[in-house]
Amino acid sequence: MDNFHNLCINRRSIRRYTDQPISPDDVKTILEAGLMAPTSKSSRAWQFIVVEEPEMLARLCDVKPLGANSLKTTPLAIVVGVDTTRTEPWIEDGSVAASFMQLQAADLGLGSCWVQVHGRSTADGTPSEEYLRELLGIPETISIVCILTIGHKNEERKPMDTDKLLWENVHVGKW
Ligand SMILES: Cc1cc2nc3c(=O)[nH]c(=O)nc-3n(C[C@H](O)[C@H](O)[C@H](O)COP(=O)(O)O)c2cc1C
């Protein structure tokens, strides 16, 4: 990594990937980033399910009707779950780990996209989490935050324009 700020400027959600698989070393590095993420009371209660098998990736596409396009071409999906019996702020713990993995993927020159699962439903109204639970054999104690899609980029996205950041959302001292 040359500079973390540049990484933030250049990271964009990528929803189209090439056929090139991700090297096992890169998959390991990305998972290590997730496993090093901070958690409330150091619970480290996440569970990451790595899916690379094409038939299973195809079935993940039905997790919800909208916002799942990046699953169509991804060579790698990481389902981010958290054991809710072991941590109360499970959404936060899962989200931080997912963000760490996205930033690590960006640092490796890979694209990634967050596919929201918590609170979403499949086309027939089944909760997306239940669909994944059945498909992947996920225990009842694990709640699902999101699926990350990660792959070699097959689309260009413009970097962030730092002149257009929402500085009006920042309040100094008081609102
Ligand atoms: C909590 C959260 C949920 C998201 N859900 C989805 C999703 O379901 N599908 C999708 O394609 N992108 C999803 N995204 C990606 C956002 O659409 C994306 O970050 C946003 O449009 C800004 O674009 P950028 O990441 O390229 O800066 C999600 C991002 C976050 C943080």
Side-chain angles (χ1 to χ4, degrees):
M1 181 176 76
D2 67 312
N3 174 318
F4 184 73
H5 197 60
N6 283 340
L7 187 75
C8 292
I9 290 171
N10 288 297
R11 181 222 57 85
R12 299 302 311 275
S13 294
I14 297 296
R15 298 183 176 84
R16 284 203 298 269
Y17 308 104
T18 69
D19 291 339
Q20 193 182 339
I22 312 233
S23 74
D25 279 353
D26 282 0
V27 175
K28 182 167 180 262
T29 303
I30 291 164
L31 289 166
E32 277 184 358
L35 293 168
M36 289 192 281
T39 49
S40 170
K41 299 181 183 169
S42 200
S43 70
R44 297 186 294 173
W46 353 253
Q47 300 287 332
F48 306 133
I49 302 153
V50 179
V51 180
E52 294 180 283
E53 206 257 310
E55 213 168 280
M56 191 59 95
L57 287 171
R59 294 174 74 186
L60 285 183
C61 293
D62 293 330
V63 71
K64 59 178 186 174
L66 296 173
N69 271 349
S70 66
L71 282 160
K72 289 182 184 162
T73 54
T74 195
L76 167 68
I78 301 176
V79 179
V80 178
V82 184
D83 187 336
T84 57
T85 65
R86 291 181 46 211
T87 180
E88 188 260 325
W90 63 271
I91 296 178
E92 293 85 344
D93 285 354
S95 298
V96 173
S99 295
F100 267 48
M101 289 193 276
Q102 286 201 277
L103 290 168
Q104 179 63 73
D107 190 48
L108 291 167
L110 299 167
S112 76
C113 191
W114 179 304
V115 178
Q116 179 71 13
V117 171
H118 177 64
R120 301 291 185 261
S121 302
T122 65
D124 71 5
T126 305
S128 299
E129 180 176 82
E130 292 309 315
Y131 176 78
L132 291 177
R133 196 181 296 294
E134 175 77 18
L135 185 66
L136 299 166
I138 300 169
E140 286 288 335
T141 50
I142 309 300
S143 288
I144 311 298
V145 177
C146 65
I147 306 172
L148 295 181
T149 59
I150 302 173
H152 292 272
K153 298 174 198 174
N154 200 11
E155 66 172 324
E156 285 294 325
R157 296 288 317 274
K158 283 189 186 149
M160 295 285 175
D161 182 345
T162 51
D163 290 334
K164 292 187 179 157
L165 297 180
L166 300 183
W167 282 104
E168 63 272 30
N169 292 6
V170 178
H171 311 274
V172 179
K174 64 196 280 281
W175 185 275

